[in-house]
Amino acid sequence: MYWGMGSLLVLVGLGLLVFWIHHNSSSALSQSTGISGDVLSGTVFINGTASIAKTDDDYICATLDWWPPEKCDYNTCSWGRATLLTLDLTNTILINAVKAFSPLRIRMGGTLQDKVVYEKQGDQSTCNIFTKNSSEFLGFSQGCLPLARWDELNSFFKQTGSAVTFGLNALYGRTIGSDGSVNGPWNSSNAESLIRYTVNKGYSILGWELGNELSGNGVGARVSAHQYASDMTTLQHLVEDIYAGFEIKPLVLAPGGFFVADWFADFVNQTSKTLQVVTHHIYNLGPGVDDHLIQKILNPSYLDGELQIFSSLQSLLKNSGTSAVAWVGEAGGAYNSGHNLVTNTFVFSFWYLDQLGMAATYNTKTYCRQTLIGGNYGLLNTQNFLPNPDYYSALLWHKLMGSKVLLTSFSGTDKIRAYAHCSKNSPGVTLLLINLDGNTTVQVHVSTENATSNGTLTLKQESQNHRTKFARMSRGSSNDGNIREEYHLTAKEGNIQSQVLLLNGKVLNTDSSGNIPSFDPINVSHSDPITVAPFSVVFAQIPNMNVTACK
């Protein structure tokens, strides 16, 4: 009798222990994924027979701009000392943030690049900074890049392993007509002096880009496609001459403007033998002052509006016979420095990651985010250098998404955005899922063609409670290796305008030494659907999805 009572007590105790573990695991899962509201199912189909596009291995790029502290929009001055001329290049967080990409592509340029002159060795004239002047073109005086600052910047780039593209002044030596038209050829002498100095100092440059937003209708000024093509020939000859004898020469890029089909077609057709990269800019959300930015970001139909630009540029390059490839040279989403507490918060990762996925699908090789730091759309906070949510989103993409892009579609709700690539530096496929719905959790089943020797692999939901299984798997079970790794991104306290990002329920923060945190995934049974919580992002790395395209 005593033995029986003892056994009963043991069983009751075990039962309570199991209940406690289950309860706490379920609570932790709920907190980490934000599961709440309605639940529905959907299916993502990944065609793994062949890749449909390919990015560069270093697809992620960020910009550094010339805007001085006096640059203000809508009575708000958001640039601080983040300008190329004054940025603190010794800041530990900045250094570590760039190093984490190994390498990060950096595009140096922006609106004022066409008003920058470059100091020459031995030149005794004063190298003036930009000053605000409403009567001047673009509202600022001419500015100057001191060679000492160019040395500091290149030291920083070398220290952080950055791959740099520099935007050259395409208006040097030119006059602008009253209607904004620019006549006459580009005077390349000042650019030549900078490029020669750069080579003599042994500085590594990935590419030289000519002009900023002077194509098509231009922004303040415009250059005809015919003249721009002639100027590009001048730059190409300059690069070939200065880098003669170099096994690898820098890329030549242009025009760094907004896509206008007829202008771009004329330009590409006239530069088919010289141009290597066609760069275009994206600010599809409109002005930063717009109070409806969040509604636009969460509207799948609005996001799809950019598809036509990517598709048209892809077709143009394919049909022109050029070997040039497409880059997004600058993309801040909302122009005029973005919008505080929107473009520097979690909600902007929905737009940004969707843009990265969409652009890659149309064979875009590199995507440069405006900005690395500066304005209200920086990957890093302009004042304290701490990473904003989009920094971590960009770094996760960089670490997980390989260069081969797979055809992906989703059925079940238009609020789920789905993209898949071959995994980076590991076998299998990485899937990106973005839930634009703030009330609905989506259980995503994955169907992949040619994923196994049997030809088709379909992941189906088990009848067992998914939350319990997910929680148990997250405690470290490998399920005989039949697992996937998941990275769930949510906002602190569910506030999509928060600047604090959670990875699997834990706050991502730099430590006291300014080190970027590691990304620890949750292990999940491969047979379970992927739980995508309301207003969340999930990267799912599926190692045993052996599709033909990724072999």
Side-chain angles (χ1 to χ4, degrees):
M1 179 175 178
Y2 291 108
W3 180 89
M5 182 62 73
S7 298
L8 181 60
L9 289 172
V10 169
L11 289 173
V12 170
L14 287 173
L16 289 172
L17 179 62
V18 169
F19 172 80
W20 182 86
I21 292 173
H22 168 71
H23 174 76
N24 283 278
S25 297
S26 297
S27 297
L29 174 68
S30 180
Q31 291 172 10
S32 67
T33 62
I35 295 173
S36 62
D38 299 330
V39 179
L40 60 81
S41 294
T43 300
V44 61
F45 176 79
I46 303 171
N47 186 335
T49 55
S51 61
I52 58 168
K54 190 174 182 180
T55 70
D56 286 346
D57 288 336
D58 305 314
Y59 178 58
I60 299 294
C61 169
T63 67
L64 288 173
D65 209 301
W66 294 101
W67 286 125
E70 294 76 22
K71 159 67 171 172
C72 303
D73 303 280
Y74 322 118
N75 299 316
T76 300
C77 307
S78 60
W79 285 85
R81 294 182 60 79
T83 169
L84 278 162
L85 295 175
T86 58
L87 179 64
D88 179 7
L89 302 174
T90 66
N91 183 277
T92 302
I93 298 176
L94 174 65
I95 292 169
N96 290 339
V98 177
K99 275 185 175 180
F101 284 85
S102 299
L104 176 66
R105 289 190 171 180
I106 292 179
R107 181 253 185 176
M108 305 172 67
T111 300
L112 294 184
Q113 82 175 48
D114 292 313
K115 300 200 70 170
V116 180
V117 295
Y118 319 121
E119 184 182 31
K120 296 182 179 180
Q121 280 185 298
D123 190 350
Q124 300 300 313
S125 59
T126 304
C127 196
N128 295 315
I129 61 173
F130 291 107
T131 56
K132 198 166 187 178
N133 187 336
S134 59
S135 65
E136 293 258 8
F137 173 58
L138 300 174
F140 285 86
S141 68
Q142 180 176 274
C144 176
L145 172 62
L147 290 179
R149 181 60 176 179
W150 185 230
D151 294 338
E152 292 171 356
L153 285 162
N154 279 280
S155 177
F156 171 80
F157 297 143
K158 183 177 180 179
Q159 178 186 7
T160 56
S162 305
V164 178
T165 298
F166 186 88
L168 296 164
N169 179 349
L171 294 181
Y172 187 78
R174 288 167 145 170
T175 57
I176 304 170
S178 58
D179 62 350
S181 61
V182 177
N183 300 309
W186 172 52
N187 184 333
S188 62
S189 61
N190 194 224
E192 180 178 358
S193 71
L194 180 68
I195 296 173
R196 289 194 183 279
Y197 177 85
T198 300
V199 171
N200 291 336
K201 296 287 283 191
Y203 299 149
S204 177
I205 298 294
L206 175 65
W208 297 99
E209 183 179 25
L210 183 63
N212 183 85
E213 296 176 359
L214 299 174
S215 58
N217 300 321
V219 176
R222 64 182 183 276
V223 178
S224 70
H226 176 74
Q227 184 58 59
Y228 220 127
S230 175
D231 297 338
M232 284 305 299
T233 299
T234 299
L235 176 58
Q236 179 66 42
H237 290 162
L238 199 63
V239 169
E240 289 178 354
D241 176 50
I242 296 174
Y243 287 88
F246 282 66
E247 183 177 350
I248 299 177
K249 297 178 176 62
L251 300 170
V252 175
L253 311 88
F258 297 101
F259 181 79
V260 176
D262 291 344
W263 191 99
F264 269 65
D266 288 345
F267 176 68
V268 169
N269 287 333
Q270 295 179 67
T271 56
S272 59
K273 295 182 179 180
T274 57
L275 188 64
Q276 293 159 297
V277 179
V278 176
T279 51
H280 68 110
H281 293 182
I282 296 174
Y283 286 90
N284 61 323
L285 297 175
V289 74
D290 190 346
D291 290 329
H292 302 287
L293 291 178
I294 292 178
Q295 291 93 316
K296 291 178 178 179
I297 292 167
L298 299 178
N299 183 342
S301 296
Y302 193 92
L303 295 178
D304 285 341
E306 195 66 20
L307 287 170
Q308 184 59 47
I309 299 294
F310 289 123
S311 176
S312 296
L313 182 54
Q314 182 186 41
S315 297
L316 167 62
L317 295 178
K318 183 178 180 180
N319 296 330
S320 68
T322 181
S323 59
V325 298
W327 284 25
V328 172
E330 180 183 316
Y335 60 81
N336 290 341
S337 305
H339 188 124
N340 189 35
L341 297 182
V342 176
T343 55
N344 51 12
T345 66
F346 176 68
V347 69
F348 211 51
S349 280
F350 296 155
W351 173 85
Y352 180 40
L353 288 171
D354 188 64
Q355 277 281 303
L356 291 176
M358 187 186 299
T361 301
Y362 288 92
N363 222 33
T364 302
K365 302 303 182 182
T366 296
Y367 193 107
C368 299
R369 165 63 179 266
Q370 174 83 346
T371 60
L372 173 60
I373 186 168
N376 287 315
Y377 37 34
L379 297 179
L380 304 178
N381 184 287
T382 302
Q383 303 303 321
N384 58 25
F385 294 82
L386 291 173
N388 285 322
D390 280 5
Y391 171 83
Y392 294 117
S393 295
L395 188 54
L396 263 172
W397 177 291
H398 180 74
K399 288 180 177 295
L400 299 175
M401 304 289 271
S403 60
K404 292 182 179 179
V405 186
L406 306 178
L407 181 63
T408 308
S409 60
F410 183 84
S411 64
T413 170
D414 66 352
K415 292 288 189 176
I416 290 287
R417 314 285 285 185
Y419 301 97
H421 287 217
C422 296
S423 295
K424 192 170 190 176
N425 301 323
S426 64
V429 171
T430 298
L431 175 63
L432 168 62
L433 298 166
I434 305 166
N435 190 353
L436 303 176
D437 193 317
N439 299 307
T440 304
T441 296
V442 183
Q443 303 280 21
V444 177
H445 312 283
V446 183
S447 178
T448 307
E449 185 177 342
N450 291 340
T452 67
S453 58
N454 294 327
T456 302
L457 171 65
T458 303
L459 309 183
K460 297 181 179 179
Q461 184 176 7
E462 302 289 339
S463 59
Q464 187 174 349
N465 181 277
H466 177 68
R467 178 178 295 181
T468 306
K469 288 187 68 181
F470 188 99
R472 187 166 67 242
M473 290 303 299
S474 71
R475 297 175 67 85
S477 170
S478 63
N479 197 24
D480 298 324
N482 189 27
I483 63 169
R484 65 174 177 266
E485 295 181 338
E486 293 183 357
Y487 303 80
H488 293 253
L489 301 180
T490 53
K492 184 180 181 181
E493 299 176 350
N495 176 16
I496 58 174
Q497 288 183 260
S498 173
Q499 292 177 304
V500 179
L501 183 67
L502 307 183
L503 172 61
N504 297 326
K506 297 180 180 178
V507 173
L508 286 173
N509 263 334
T510 56
D511 64 19
S512 59
S513 299
N515 294 310
I516 303 301
S518 60
F519 297 145
D520 299 319
I522 292 175
N523 293 331
V524 185
S525 172
H526 192 46
S527 62
D528 287 341
I530 302 169
T531 300
V532 188
F535 283 156
S536 75
V537 172
V538 179
F539 286 91
Q541 193 171 40
I542 311 172
N544 62 349
M545 195 171 281
N546 299 315
V547 297
T548 304
C550 300
K551 292 180 179 178

